[in-house]
Amino acid sequence: MKTRKAGAYSTKIAHAAECAFQRAIIQGGTSTVKGEKITWIDIELPVYGNKSRGKCIDLIGKDSKGNYVLCELKFRKKSDNGGPNEATEQLKEYYSYIKNAEDLKSRDLQHTNAKEKIDWERVAGENTRLFVVANEFYWNTWLKPSKKQEKPFDKDVEYYSVNIDRYVFEQQKGNSTTYIPKMPKEGMIWEEKH
C-alpha cells in the first residue's frame, strides 16, 4: 500500500487545544515521566490506510533505554473529546496495525522534520510502551464518579497527566491568526495516573 509522502509537519498553527498540546510536546523535545526522559521524534504518523490524516499515532518517541513510545493525546478545555476508555482502545488498535503491517517499513511515513528515522520492526516489538496523555482538566472531568468509566485503566497502557492551564494555548495565541505553541515549564514533567 502506497501513501503520500508526509512532508514536514507544521510548527505554526491556528489551533489552541489538542493540536497545540501535541505541537508543544514535540517542540519541547522531551518530557519526564517517573524520573525518566522521553525524547519525542515525530507526530501524526498514519499507520493504517493510504491517507496522510487517516488512523494516526499522535506522538512517537523513545525512552531512555531506546524503547519506542506511542502516545494518544487528549486535551480538554470545555467540550468532551472522548474518554480514557476510547483513547485506550484507539491506541491499542493503532498498535495492532503496526504489529501486523509488514509494509510500514517500506512506506515513507515520516515527516521530513522528524528528529530521527523510525525503526518500524522495533516499534512492532514487545518493548514498545503505550501512553495515554491528557491535561489535568481532562482527567478531573473523566474520572468523576458521574462519568462511570467501566475500566479507565488498562494494564498494558501507561496514563499520564500534564498539569497545565486548560487555556494556556489560547493565551499564547492571543489575537494572532497562527502561533507556535510552547509547553510551559510545569508541563515538562508528567504525573502518572492510577
Side-chain angles (χ1 to χ4, degrees):
M1 180 187 314
K2 271 296 207 194
T3 189
R4 186 167 53 90
K5 187 170 172 59
Y9 61 80
S10 302
T11 55
K12 201 170 195 181
I13 62 169
H15 303 284
E18 192 170 301
C19 184
F21 187 44
Q22 177 195 59
R23 294 315 199 277
I25 294 169
I26 192 90
Q27 286 292 107
T30 63
S31 301
T32 302
V33 299
K34 298 190 279 190
E36 176 184 22
K37 289 253 188 256
I38 306 295
T39 302
W40 301 112
I41 299 170
D42 205 352
I43 60 174
E44 293 295 329
L45 294 172
V47 293
Y48 184 82
N50 60 4
K51 297 178 182 172
S52 61
R53 291 284 301 163
K55 296 186 180 229
C56 294
I57 298 291
D58 286 340
L59 194 60
I60 187 166
K62 275 186 177 175
D63 68 16
S64 60
K65 294 178 183 152
N67 298 316
Y68 281 98
V69 175
L70 304 179
C71 200
E72 176 65 23
L73 298 174
K74 294 293 178 186
F75 190 89
R76 184 157 193 223
K77 285 192 297 186
K78 299 173 190 166
S79 61
D80 279 344
N81 60 349
N85 292 345
E86 183 183 321
T88 298
E89 291 308 310
Q90 189 175 26
L91 181 60
K92 290 179 88 172
E93 176 190 5
Y94 293 175
Y95 185 45
S96 75
Y97 296 143
I98 292 169
K99 290 185 81 64
N100 298 320
E102 284 283 321
D103 68 329
L104 277 177
K105 58 187 172 189
S106 65
R107 296 193 299 163
D108 199 1
L109 296 176
Q110 284 196 257
H111 293 95
T112 55
N113 54 345
K115 307 296 187 264
E116 66 179 68
K117 186 162 178 54
I118 294 170
D119 180 344
W120 289 105
E121 287 180 350
R122 284 194 56 218
V123 176
E126 293 179 9
N127 293 326
T128 292
R129 297 166 70 180
L130 305 178
F131 287 11
V132 171
V133 179
N135 65 320
E136 188 66 22
F137 185 70
Y138 173 93
W139 289 114
N140 289 343
T141 302
W142 277 104
L143 296 181
K144 284 181 182 175
S146 62
K147 285 289 186 183
K148 296 183 179 139
Q149 290 286 300
E150 291 175 23
K151 54 169 197 140
F153 300 111
D154 182 296
K155 66 179 179 57
D156 297 324
V157 177
E158 298 176 51
Y159 299 86
Y160 294 99
S161 176
V162 181
N163 188 15
I164 55 174
D165 186 279
R166 61 184 158 148
Y167 299 112
V168 67
F169 300 120
E170 279 185 18
Q171 292 164 1
Q172 288 179 15
K173 181 179 178 185
N175 294 326
S176 302
T177 306
T178 59
Y179 72 116
I180 298 173
K182 302 282 186 210
M183 184 60 71
K185 186 177 178 185
E186 61 272 20
M188 302 299 277
I189 298 174
W190 298 355
E191 178 188 336
E192 189 172 23
K193 297 302 281 186
H194 69 115

